[in-house]
Amino acid sequence: MRAFIAIPLPEVVLSALAQWQESLRSASGSSSKGANSVKWVRPEGIHLTLKFLGEINAEKVEQVITALTPLGNFPHLTLEVKGLGCFPNCEHPRVLWAGVIGPRALPDFAAKIEAALSGIGFPSEKRFFSPHLTLARFGDGRPQPWVKSAVRESNGRIAGQFEVSEFCLFESQLMTGAPARYHRVASFSQQI
């Protein structure tokens, strides 16, 4: 199965993000070029990815669950979803995202997950952990003038704040011609 580790979002934040996406869709429709190259993430599929695992078998799933279980004692985390940004940049976007602001404990927690999983054979991520929520993907990376405007106008806009109570191992099922579907395989609830 294709798997990843992520923090699920509460319904109130998902609802706010769905509203953002709707207004962004309108903005993309007003741009005559590039609107069709946008692939929007279904709101119920938006999550904060901590680690992408790739294809793993049933034996590896059990190893992942065993490695992550002790991390249920993660610190108190209050996260805020605020503003928009792009990867690699807003001139030639490939990903449009909502920002996630949290305490220093968030990247430290992601590093603990990396360490636990590297101990069972998963390579460590080379990039610095950059918490974000993917809202849309662009197929070709060509300029999208509406994106630059949307990012500039989102400065200070907040989609919500929430307390993290769990993180999960998810399965990602890729569907031909349809958005991926995500299923929880295991949940790790906060123990402290």
Side-chain angles (χ1 to χ4, degrees):
M1 78 176 191
R2 185 176 158 91
F4 61 93
I5 310 301
I7 295 171
L9 304 178
E11 287 300 319
V12 66
V13 173
L14 291 176
S15 178
L17 290 172
Q19 290 175 3
W20 278 18
Q21 285 180 308
E22 198 52 46
S23 65
L24 291 166
R25 268 192 195 92
S26 296
S28 71
S30 65
S31 172
S32 60
K33 294 184 178 182
N36 293 332
S37 68
V38 182
K39 291 190 174 149
W40 297 96
V41 175
R42 291 177 306 107
E44 61 272 17
I46 299 173
H47 53 267
L48 176 56
T49 302
L50 298 170
K51 173 78 175 165
F52 179 72
L53 303 177
E55 287 291 329
I56 60 175
N57 60 28
E59 179 183 342
K60 203 58 146 177
V61 168
E62 291 307 315
Q63 291 176 4
V64 167
I65 291 169
T66 300
L68 294 179
T69 297
L71 298 181
N73 64 350
F74 59 89
H76 174 79
L77 295 171
T78 299
L79 305 181
E80 183 175 58
V81 179
K82 182 177 181 181
L84 298 172
C86 301
F87 291 135
N89 59 57
C90 291
E91 296 295 326
H92 300 280
R94 300 291 281 184
V95 173
L96 175 64
W97 48 259
V100 176
I101 299 168
R104 177 69 213 162
L106 178 61
D108 291 347
F109 180 56
K112 286 180 182 177
I113 289 174
E114 282 283 348
L117 295 176
S118 70
I120 58 170
F122 289 96
S124 293
E125 188 66 46
K126 302 289 184 234
R127 295 176 289 189
F128 178 74
F129 177 67
S130 179
H132 65 280
L133 307 171
T134 300
L135 301 179
R137 292 182 177 85
F138 302 88
D140 53 18
R142 66 182 169 188
Q144 306 276 348
W146 66 270
V147 170
K148 213 170 168 181
S149 297
V151 169
R152 189 173 42 252
E153 292 167 11
S154 75
N155 188 19
R157 186 173 178 186
I158 297 172
Q161 189 176 62
F162 66 101
E163 306 290 323
V164 177
S165 61
E166 68 177 342
F167 68 100
C168 302
L169 169 61
F170 283 95
E171 175 183 10
S172 174
Q173 293 181 327
L174 301 178
M175 317 287 276
T176 304
R181 300 272 181 206
Y182 305 124
H183 302 283
R184 287 185 195 204
V185 175
S187 295
F188 307 91
S189 296
Q190 191 172 38
Q191 298 169 0
I192 58 170

